[in-house]
Amino acid sequence: MTRLARTVGLTDVQTEILATVRAFVDREIIPVAQKLEHSDTYPADIVERMKEIGLFGITIPEEYGGLGESLLTYALVVEEIARGWMSVSGVINTHFIVAHMIAGHGTDAQKAHYLPKMATGEIRGSFSMSEPDLGSDVAAIKTRATRAGDGYTIDGAKMWLTNGSTSNLTAVLVKTDLGQDKPHKNLTTFLIDKPEGTGEVLPGLTIPGRIDKMGYKGVDTTEALFDGFRIGADAILGGEPGRGFAHMMDGIEVGRVNVAARACGIALRAFELAIGYAQQRSTFGKPIAEHQAIAFKLAEMATKIEAAHLMMVNAARAKDSGERNDVIAGMAKMLASEYCAEVTQEAFRIHGGFGYSKEAEIERLMREAPFLLIGEGTSEIQKTIISKGLLREYRL
């Protein structure tokens, strides 16, 4: 067999892109990831190199200066990057989701204004649905945009903005009073241009300092506080209020494929570290890889990685084909994130006491893997989505 997590049926272009990214990860990310992660340092040099090789525009249509590649290509790129350091994949993930929403739902003027600069990385995106008092209950959003003359005034607080202080474009889902009977029909997405940095970056918009996290270091995670923030009606994604929920759900569907890809990348790196260590470390006169207890662990880890990778690829291809993919994306995200946590923990156990040292790369992966159990919806939320889809398809 070939090595794990290989994908059949790729084009020559996809194969070339992945080879370029894999070499970039091995040469420029893995050697510095430990140092940057432990110091919680934003990977500025790596980000500049990603701009140069076109990763910020990988899915943006060619007419706007991007590569025009598929979600599958992007997901496989993310898998490779997360194998090196998950935080780097976080830098481009929210950017990708915002670009995807603009390309699919933006007005012609919004596409022409944002997408060419997003393709080069000059404009980098972040987005937020969550708030301090809510997570997955999107219909309960409290941050409100009130009509004021020819624009709107926004008041409230948004939470968990990845790249909140390093992005200069933020897509924010807020409540607009449109008198609709269903709460989600009263939600609108605003595209907010802002400077990088923290503090009061614009009148009425404050980006507090970074949230200190257990893992997922280097990439910044912030809140966004709105107090009488004024914005024009032309900043509404698509130009029409009340469609924000559908816009964000489209973004989240591709985001769940992305999280599944990140989980596959971390699990693959954990396996690489474990199988390497197991051949170097000896006990009772032979490498521990030759002890059945360890060999069986490696077999189970590899099988889980392969299963998660195949499901992630299937979900990406479904989205690329135009099919509804909420169920398969939910399945992929749930399985990959759960398997990632299990594979990483088994790799940690194989490392023994050394794995508990901050010198060991597996120590970092142990702190990163749990984030994927939460990001883009917990496993319980995925089960809700999956079960509703199954009942819809198998209704008596």
Side-chain angles (χ1 to χ4, degrees):
M1 64 172 289
T2 61
R3 286 175 177 260
L4 294 176
R6 293 294 181 256
T7 309
V8 299
L10 297 181
T11 66
D12 291 342
V13 172
Q14 288 174 315
T15 301
E16 183 178 349
I17 290 172
L18 291 177
T20 299
V21 173
R22 190 174 301 121
F24 169 68
V25 168
D26 287 339
R27 183 180 64 251
E28 301 188 41
I29 296 181
I30 290 178
V32 300
Q34 286 292 95
K35 180 179 178 181
L36 293 176
E37 197 273 346
H38 286 160
S39 62
D40 200 4
T41 300
Y42 184 75
D45 291 342
I46 294 173
V47 170
E48 289 303 312
R49 284 288 292 126
M50 289 197 298
K51 290 181 186 178
E52 292 172 10
I53 61 179
L55 293 187
F56 280 92
I58 194 166
T59 61
I60 292 174
E62 291 180 297
E63 63 187 288
Y64 296 108
L67 298 180
E69 276 294 324
S70 63
L71 173 60
L72 174 62
T73 305
Y74 177 75
L76 295 174
V77 166
V78 166
E79 183 180 44
E80 292 290 348
I81 293 175
R83 172 182 157 267
W85 184 19
M86 185 180 74
S87 294
V88 177
S89 68
V91 171
I92 60 172
N93 177 44
T94 55
H95 172 87
F96 160 71
I97 291 176
V98 175
H100 174 82
M101 291 194 297
I102 293 173
H105 307 287
T107 64
D108 290 341
Q110 289 168 345
K111 293 176 186 178
H113 175 72
Y114 288 114
L115 292 180
K117 294 180 179 179
M118 295 186 82
T120 63
E122 179 182 348
I123 291 178
R124 295 182 304 282
S126 61
F127 80 102
S128 179
M129 295 189 302
S130 295
E131 297 184 358
D133 294 330
L134 64 93
S136 300
D137 187 8
V138 178
I141 280 175
K142 297 178 182 178
T143 301
R144 183 183 302 272
T146 305
R147 191 78 199 202
D150 59 353
Y152 289 81
T153 299
I154 301 179
D155 294 281
K158 305 301 291 186
M159 191 71 172
W160 306 118
L161 278 79
T162 301
N163 302 312
S165 64
T166 51
S167 62
N168 46 18
L169 170 65
T170 298
V172 177
L173 187 64
V174 302
K175 184 176 182 180
T176 43
D177 290 320
L178 302 174
Q180 297 296 320
D181 55 340
K182 295 183 179 180
H184 68 272
K185 292 184 177 181
N186 293 297
L187 300 177
T188 300
T189 300
F190 281 87
L191 300 173
I192 300 173
D193 295 295
K194 69 175 188 63
E196 297 177 40
T198 58
E200 189 172 16
V201 294
L202 290 172
L205 172 57
T206 299
I207 305 294
R210 291 182 172 195
I211 298 171
D212 193 16
K213 308 182 296 289
M214 176 177 75
Y216 202 29
K217 303 282 189 176
V219 63
D220 54 299
T221 305
T222 73
E223 298 174 78
L225 309 179
F226 296 90
D227 184 10
F229 177 72
R230 296 295 303 273
I231 193 166
D234 59 348
I236 293 174
L237 177 61
E240 185 176 340
R243 297 186 174 182
F245 181 80
H247 297 161
M248 284 284 179
M249 289 304 103
D250 183 25
I252 289 298
E253 279 187 12
V254 298
R256 285 176 179 145
V257 174
N258 172 281
V259 170
R262 284 199 255 182
C264 290
I266 290 178
L268 181 59
R269 184 58 180 166
F271 174 82
E272 290 173 348
L273 295 170
I275 199 168
Y277 185 80
Q279 294 173 81
Q280 296 168 0
R281 170 73 166 159
S282 294
T283 62
F284 303 102
K286 59 182 178 181
I288 63 173
E290 296 181 17
H291 293 289
Q292 191 178 69
I294 301 300
F296 279 12
K297 284 182 183 292
L298 293 171
E300 291 174 0
M301 293 160 67
T303 302
K304 289 177 179 179
I305 291 168
E306 197 68 11
H309 174 81
L310 291 171
M311 185 164 279
M312 178 271 291
V313 168
N314 190 29
R317 283 180 164 152
K319 186 70 172 178
D320 282 332
S321 72
E323 296 179 22
R324 180 171 180 170
N325 85 325
D326 54 339
V327 171
I328 189 63
M331 287 178 172
K333 191 274 172 187
M334 179 181 71
L335 187 82
S337 63
E338 294 287 351
Y339 276 0
C340 175
E342 293 171 14
V343 167
T344 303
Q345 186 172 94
E346 291 292 4
F348 172 74
R349 293 184 181 200
I350 288 172
H351 279 78
F354 175 63
Y356 203 66
S357 166
K358 284 199 170 185
E359 295 179 21
E361 190 176 341
I362 192 64
E363 180 270 342
R364 168 169 60 84
L365 301 186
M366 277 290 289
R367 290 184 287 105
E368 290 178 339
F371 168 76
L372 300 173
L373 297 170
I374 302 168
E376 311 294 15
T378 64
S379 291
E380 289 71 28
I381 289 296
Q382 306 312 318
K383 290 174 185 178
T384 300
I385 294 167
I386 294 164
S387 61
K388 286 182 177 179
L390 293 173
L391 288 169
R392 182 174 62 245
E393 292 298 322
Y394 287 85
R395 181 72 63 190
L396 295 178

